[in-house]
Amino acid sequence: TNPLMTTIPMTNNQSTKNQQFPPARQGWYAIAVLLLAYISSMIDRVILGYLVGPIKKTFGVTDSDMSMLMGIAFTLFYTFLGISAGRLADTAVRRNVIAGGIALWSLATAYCGMAKSYVQLFIGRVAVGVGEATLSPSAYSLIADYFPPEKRTTAMSVYSMGISVGNGTAVMLAGAIAGFAASAGMMTLPIVGEIYPWQYIFFLVGLPGLLVSLLLFTVKEPPRIGADNSRSVNIAEVWQYVQKHKKAALCHTIGFGMFSIFNQGVGFWFPEFFIRTYGWKRPEIGLWQGSTSIIFGTLGLWAGSRLAAWFMKKGYTDANMRVMLTAAAGLLPVAVIMPLLPTGEMAAWCFLWTAFFGFMPYGAAPAAIQQLMPNQMRGQAGALFLFTINVMGGGSGPFIVSSLTDFVFRNDAALRYSICITAILSLSAAVVLYWAGLKHFRASLAQEHSLDSSSTAL
């Protein structure tokens, strides 16, 4: 007999039925504050994509150097420290963990505004990643203890609106200021001294996050529903449990990693793609991409939560995985066609489609993890999930695109073909993995439900 199985309740389906969740108003207030935190993190994360040109000019760097800032610099510590952050999410006061992380990434973003070299900017991006590593593992765990399983995907989708709203706000803000950054001269700030206009943007988007950090202390820490508080679970035990369900876990997580290569990796290069291919200006790109992200990205998240609820009512235990498959299959054709279109206007209209399907699974994917994992493993399991998708999407995604441009095509104007190739490979792999993962996910849930029922009978 595996001792892990006898000391830890492996499912949260049966064990949470008779548990009392906090009042709905507390849960939705927590979601609202967490949403603000997520929006803040997304703004700090994606702002760099609109500052490629000015930064390259200031420091004399290449596309590959910029991909390191957008990918490796951020994800290096975001992913590795995410495991420790997941451990904190399973053992510490999650609200406090998130509040400290917000303060760190906000100050680190402001530090980027003082960078005097590429290396200093790289260090600042690493620190942003360290701070942001604390957010989602703790947020996923909090949400799972605020809402019962049948409402969890909707709650996760509302929280994940931080991606669409944060991304949209960031690109509109950056696009609006980019014209100013390109034409204005050097600026002087008190204490800081002389800076470039693009550096000012980092102060503008970073420092307001400190107010969000303080707001976290108004959120109540809910009890851990169904958890065995007599002992904590270490990462080795989490990994043991994941190994037990490795087929379901691999199809889910690697599939979402492939999906993220397009969403995160290619997404970073969209502004430069429109500039290089169609001659658009940053303000008009930011306005269009930002508005479609906020409107159609949010609609996609809402549709994903409703679709998951519909699948659940039909009796599909793999409802969340089905939403992920639908999103990848819907995104694939337009993602491949968009960079090859002859005009910028035609390509821009594709943003509506890519935003809708690109954001659709961001509630379902973490909800599936919470569905499969026991309570006291949720933080670390969420961190393992984020570790994989950020290494693949945020870490390697931008570099894959830039490597094709720099080393295969050897032409900055060929960025459109780099995007097309990356979209074909990554999204096709996501569709295949999700399709294969449906039966494995159902089997894992059935196995754990059977174990839990046996334990209850005994």
Side-chain angles (χ1 to χ4, degrees):
T1 302
N2 187 337
L4 179 64
M5 306 308 166
T6 61
T7 57
I8 299 174
M10 286 294 103
T11 63
N12 41 69
N13 295 322
Q14 293 291 107
S15 60
T16 61
K17 276 187 177 181
N18 299 319
Q19 296 286 340
Q20 183 65 48
F21 286 87
R25 65 180 183 277
Q26 288 186 17
W28 287 113
Y29 177 75
I31 288 286
V33 176
L34 291 171
L35 175 60
L36 282 177
Y38 210 172
I39 291 172
S40 173
S41 76
M42 288 304 301
I43 291 174
D44 292 353
R45 188 182 308 186
V46 307
I47 198 76
L48 199 64
Y50 271 75
L51 302 176
V52 170
I55 293 174
K56 286 181 67 176
K57 182 178 179 181
T58 300
F59 296 135
V61 295
T62 66
D63 275 1
S64 293
D65 293 324
M66 290 303 301
S67 72
M68 296 290 283
L69 286 178
M70 292 187 286
I72 297 299
F74 175 83
T75 59
L76 181 65
F77 281 87
Y78 180 95
T79 52
F80 285 99
L81 289 183
I83 304 300
S84 298
R87 175 75 168 162
L88 284 175
D90 289 332
T91 58
V93 178
R94 293 161 288 187
R95 175 199 65 189
N96 297 349
V97 172
I98 295 173
I102 297 173
L104 176 57
W105 85 57
S106 300
L107 292 171
T109 300
Y111 169 80
C112 290
M114 299 186 289
K116 302 299 182 184
S117 68
Y118 174 84
V119 172
Q120 290 181 6
L121 188 56
F122 189 96
I123 292 171
R125 293 297 292 178
V126 168
V128 172
V130 172
E132 292 197 16
T134 65
L135 176 58
S136 283
S138 291
Y140 292 159
S141 180
L142 278 173
I143 293 169
D145 282 331
Y146 267 119
F147 296 91
E150 65 272 15
K151 297 181 180 179
R152 204 168 285 154
T153 302
T154 298
M156 290 285 186
S157 295
V158 175
Y159 166 68
S160 296
M161 283 171 55
I163 305 175
S164 59
V165 177
N167 181 79
T169 303
V171 296
M172 284 197 293
L173 178 63
I177 300 175
F180 158 77
S183 59
M186 298 294 290
M187 303 176 64
T188 302
L189 294 182
I191 302 176
V192 176
E194 197 173 50
I195 60 172
Y196 289 95
W198 62 263
Q199 292 177 303
Y200 176 71
I201 298 175
F202 285 112
F203 286 100
L204 190 64
V205 302
L207 294 179
L210 295 175
L211 298 178
V212 181
S213 176
L214 294 175
L215 192 59
L216 253 294
F217 292 103
T218 65
V219 172
K220 294 183 178 180
E221 178 79 5
R224 297 179 185 269
I225 303 295
D228 177 8
N229 295 316
S230 64
R231 64 184 295 268
S232 60
V233 180
N234 59 42
I235 191 63
E237 292 173 307
V238 176
W239 183 246
Q240 182 183 351
Y241 185 78
V242 170
Q243 284 288 99
K244 181 186 175 190
H245 301 285
K246 61 184 176 183
K247 291 182 179 179
L250 283 173
C251 289
H252 172 280
T253 304
I254 302 300
F256 203 75
M258 299 305 297
F259 188 87
S260 297
I261 285 177
F262 176 82
N263 257 22
Q264 296 185 45
V266 173
F268 273 123
W269 288 107
F270 276 159
E272 284 298 307
F273 157 67
F274 274 87
I275 292 168
R276 297 179 191 182
T277 306
Y278 305 116
W280 280 33
K281 303 297 183 183
R282 285 184 176 84
E284 56 185 331
I285 302 167
L287 179 62
W288 184 254
Q289 185 182 5
S291 59
T292 55
S293 176
I294 292 173
I295 297 171
F296 287 89
T298 301
L299 282 174
L301 280 162
W302 176 83
S305 70
R306 295 299 86 206
L307 186 59
W310 184 79
F311 281 136
M312 287 178 185
K313 287 182 179 179
K314 293 290 183 180
Y316 293 105
T317 57
D318 59 0
N320 289 308
M321 285 287 286
R322 288 174 180 264
V323 171
M324 295 162 70
L325 174 60
T326 302
L331 182 58
L332 175 58
V334 176
V336 172
I337 293 170
M338 184 183 73
L340 304 179
L341 291 173
T343 68
E345 288 73 19
M346 294 175 66
W349 280 106
C350 290
F351 271 145
L352 277 63
W353 192 274
T354 59
F356 183 83
F357 284 103
F359 288 108
M360 178 181 281
Y362 277 87
I369 292 291
Q370 307 304 307
Q371 184 182 6
L372 184 61
M373 303 300 294
N375 191 307
Q376 54 266 61
M377 291 186 179
R378 285 174 179 164
Q380 293 174 87
L384 284 172
F385 165 67
L386 292 168
F387 175 93
T388 304
I389 67 170
N390 281 291
V391 166
M392 295 178 67
S396 64
F399 190 71
I400 291 171
V401 176
S402 66
S403 294
L404 288 170
T405 305
D406 285 346
F407 306 119
V408 176
F409 297 110
R410 299 179 182 275
N411 182 358
D412 283 357
L415 179 60
R416 66 193 307 177
Y417 303 113
S418 302
I419 290 174
C420 181
I421 291 170
T422 305
I424 292 172
L425 297 177
S426 62
L427 292 175
S428 295
V431 169
V432 171
L433 286 165
Y434 290 157
W435 179 263
L438 292 176
K439 63 179 181 181
H440 299 306
F441 195 81
R442 290 195 301 269
S444 288
L445 289 179
Q447 178 184 2
E448 293 308 323
H449 178 80
S450 176
L451 285 173
D452 191 74
S453 297
S454 299
S455 299
T456 302
L458 291 174

